[in-house]
Structures are given as C-alpha cells and as structure tokens.
Amino acid sequence: MVTKKSTHFLNKRMYFKISRILIGFACLYSDWRIASLFHTPIFVWLILLSIIALGYQVYAEHIGNYFMGYRLIALVSGLYLAFLTYHISALIVIDFMDIFLHKDLSILALIFSIAITIYGRVHAHTIKTILYTYKTNKLPVGKQYNIVQLSDLHIGEIIDTNYIHHVVCQVNALHPDMIVITGDIFNRTNMRQRKHFYPIFSELRQLQAPDGVFAICGNHDPAMDSSLWQAFLEKSNIVDLNNRSYISKDINLIGRTGLVSYPTRKHLKRLMHSCDYQKPIVILEHDPAGILQAQSQHADLILCGHTHKGQFFPFTYFTRYWYGKDYYYGKHIKNGTCSIVSAGTGYFEIPVRIHTDNEIVKIQLQGLRKD
C-alpha cells in the first residue's frame, strides 16, 4: 500500500536523483568549455576532479575521516561546486551575448567564476555581529538583558577549532547575560566521525555568560538522546534545552527539538505550561517553520536559524522564495511575537559566503514597564 508519507519520500528521492543527473551534465559541459579554451588534453583531468568532488558530496556521510586528505578533498569539493554554479551561470550569459556580439567570451566566464569563488572563500572567514533590540513591558524601565545567539556552526570537515576560537572570542567581547545555540552545531549526524573534533570542548567551555549557555538540536546534529551528543554538551558546559524550559531571574527560555528530525515533537503549549508569564517568553527553534506556532501561543520572542539566508548567490533568492520574506532572515514582528532568523555563524558544505555573512546575533531586551 502506497501511503501519502511513502509517496512524499519517493518524490524526495526522485528529486535528488534528477538533481544529481543535472549537476553531472553541468559538470561535463563546464569541463568541456574549459578544455576547449586551452586546446590541451585536460578534459580527462577535469572529469576526474568532477567525479571526486561530486562523489565526496554524495558519500561524505559514510566517508567521514577514514582516509588522509579528507579535509582537503572536502574543501576542494565545496569550492568546485561553487565555481560550477557561477561558471554555468556565466556561460549562459556569454552564450546569449554571443548571439549579438558574435564574439566568444568564454575566457571571461572562466575568470569571473574563479574570481568570485575566491572572494566567497575569503569572505567566509569573516564573522559579523548583528544587533537587534526588542522592547518589552515584561521588564522594568532601564533594565537591559543581552542574549547572544549562535546558529548553524556546522563544525566538521572544514569548520574546526580555530574557527570556533574566533567565534568564542567575539561572543565573550559582547558580555552577554545568556548565550543560546539554535541548532546544527555539527555538520553531519554521525558523531563517530567527529571524535577528532573533541578539542573543541576546550574552546566552547570558554564561553562566558552569567545565566549560562543553552543549545537545541538541528537537523544536522545527532539524535538528542545520543550518549555521545549528551557527553559533548556536558564537556562543553552547554545545557541541553531540547523539549525543556528554563526560568531565569529575568526571562523564560524554552527549547524545541528540530521540526525536520522530530515532526511529532511536543506542542509548544505544553512546554509553556510552567512559564512565568510576568517575564518575557523566549523560544529557541532551529527551523523558522516553528514561528507560526510561537505566534499562535503569543510568545514574546523566537530565535531561529537553519536557512543560512541562502549562503551564496543565487540561492539567497531561492531561499527567500521558499521560506517567504518574513521567515527566511532577519527580525519581524507579527501578532505580538518578535521573530529573529539568523544567517548562521558557520556555513554548510560549500565553504563560501556571497551576498550573505557569517554572523553572531546579539539581542538586547529593553524594559518598558514602570513599576
């Protein structure tokens, strides 16, 4: 019997198969156009590079760190796919121009693609601090409570201890009252492939906030009940807030399990049952799809990640279209609930940032209540 759920799964598998076939043809076309520029037998080498790059992206979950040079291959694979995106796009443009100019500009397409990929890689090393303010009658006038949000760190093959060290230094310089991580701490769900990343414990333990550091799972993190996941949080001095709430002196904090990984999770109303409604209610949610439920339950503030703001052009526009302008990035207020969606502190798979930034989000809750 074919159910609605199984049909959706089959459609998803078919989508990925078709995508891989199209990317394969794009690789062949790009490699052929590059080879035709130099009139040398490099086509075979370009095809080999394409096979390695695409093969790594498809099977990386199983490959992990089981061979030397995997970090280099992960980097080259991601950069190649970024280059491919821009090279194919540039070829489409210059082929259209050739109709009118009758001049082959293929070399310009190649130079442009290499240059923008290099720029994206360099830009991916920078981390911006974004400041948002939220005014509330649930805090007294003159009271300011600072929350720093990290999201989508994607620690893994490319983002390592050095990157996390820079993140920690920037966060501590903001002097937050509380630090929250809204999912996707890791790049892949199999933590057995991350045993060599355990030195990151020593870096994350340096995060400083009087009210503590809290985290929830994202769709790329291990299962929330995994012993390795729990050990990682404990050694990093991070509080697991999945399906839990915490009431501090100033705010209520509620953490939700990832909607993608746990579609049957607890309803927000149950998690809010123990809240002190005289204090602001702050929700941690990985996927912005949870914003609607937060609005329906009249939460004060919800912090999300997941979208990366598309990470690099032109996927920035596809992401905006998919999630909608109020849910793909930034601060929005609707039905009395303020939602903030981060572009992410790290990046996923493709190690570039173009038309977006890695960011650390600082939220200032400012009191309006006159006691």
Side-chain angles (χ1 to χ4, degrees), residues 94-352:
I94 64 107
D95 284 349
F96 179 77
M97 292 173 61
D98 185 41
I99 297 174
F100 302 97
L101 300 178
H102 304 291
K103 188 175 182 181
D104 186 3
L105 302 175
S106 299
I107 189 65
L108 293 182
L110 179 61
I111 294 171
F112 165 78
S113 306
I114 293 173
I116 196 169
T117 302
I118 292 173
Y119 163 77
R121 179 62 192 144
V122 172
H123 186 56
H125 286 284
T126 63
I127 308 171
K128 281 191 173 182
T129 298
I130 307 296
L131 174 64
Y132 296 109
T133 59
Y134 174 68
K135 297 181 179 181
T136 174
N137 288 313
K138 294 184 178 181
L139 291 175
V141 170
K143 175 67 178 179
Q144 182 171 291
Y145 190 86
N146 296 314
I147 301 174
V148 166
Q149 177 197 9
L150 303 177
S151 190
D152 301 275
L153 287 164
H154 287 284
I155 299 168
E157 296 86 346
I158 301 174
I159 291 184
D160 57 10
T161 309
N162 292 330
Y163 188 89
I164 299 303
H165 174 76
H166 291 299
V167 171
V168 170
C169 290
Q170 285 188 232
V171 169
N172 289 340
L174 297 174
H175 305 291
D177 296 298
M178 177 183 287
I179 299 169
V180 299
I181 307 175
T182 50
D184 281 359
I185 294 177
F186 287 107
N187 198 45
R188 303 195 187 280
T189 57
N190 186 352
M191 281 194 70
R192 286 178 299 177
Q193 298 179 3
R194 301 188 182 86
K195 57 186 178 182
H196 60 295
F197 294 122
Y198 282 9
I200 290 172
F201 291 155
S202 60
E203 294 297 339
L204 293 175
R205 277 199 298 265
Q206 303 305 313
L207 288 169
Q208 299 172 6
D211 286 348
V213 184
F214 300 83
I216 58 171
C217 285
N219 56 298
H220 289 279
D221 290 318
M224 64 179 181
D225 56 356
S226 161
S227 59
L228 288 171
W229 169 251
Q230 292 298 324
F232 171 83
L233 294 181
E234 182 179 350
K235 291 179 180 179
S236 302
N237 289 341
I238 298 173
V239 178
D240 178 10
L241 207 66
N242 285 290
N243 274 335
R244 297 186 177 118
S245 61
Y246 171 79
I247 302 176
S248 75
K249 181 180 67 175
D250 299 296
I251 68 168
N252 301 279
L253 187 67
I254 295 175
R256 308 204 67 194
T257 53
L259 183 60
V260 175
S261 303
Y262 299 93
T264 57
R265 62 187 183 166
K266 289 182 182 178
H267 194 281
L268 181 58
K269 186 176 182 179
R270 290 178 60 190
L271 295 173
M272 291 176 63
H273 182 70
S274 60
C275 285
D276 179 353
Y277 283 80
Q278 301 303 311
K279 301 175 181 179
I281 298 175
V282 181
I283 311 295
L284 304 185
E285 175 81 72
H286 181 62
D287 194 322
I291 292 175
L292 290 174
Q293 195 171 104
Q295 292 171 345
S296 69
Q297 297 302 314
H298 307 291
D300 296 287
L301 178 64
I302 177 169
L303 308 179
C304 307
H306 186 57
T307 69
H308 292 253
K309 199 185 175 183
Q311 190 164 313
F312 64 102
F313 176 86
F315 296 100
T316 47
Y317 292 101
F318 298 154
T319 303
R320 180 187 173 98
Y321 173 79
W322 181 262
Y323 285 95
K325 64 182 180 64
D326 293 338
Y327 301 103
Y328 96 112
Y329 176 72
K331 174 186 173 183
H332 301 276
I333 298 177
K334 190 173 182 180
N335 298 334
T337 298
C338 176
S339 63
I340 293 175
V341 181
S342 168
T345 313
Y347 44 81
F348 174 65
E349 296 293 350
I350 312 299
V352 299

Side-chain angles (χ1 to χ4, degrees), residues 27 49-60 63 69-85 117 157-158 188 349-352:
C27 287
L49 173 62
S50 301
I51 292 172
I52 293 173
L54 295 178
Y56 182 84
Q57 293 298 325
V58 173
Y59 296 106
I63 294 172
Y70 81 101
R71 291 176 67 86
L72 177 61
I73 289 182
L75 179 63
V76 171
S77 172
L79 290 176
Y80 175 76
L81 291 180
F83 164 81
L84 179 67
T85 300
T117 302
E157 296 86 346
I158 301 174
R188 303 195 187 280
E349 296 293 350
I350 312 299
V352 299

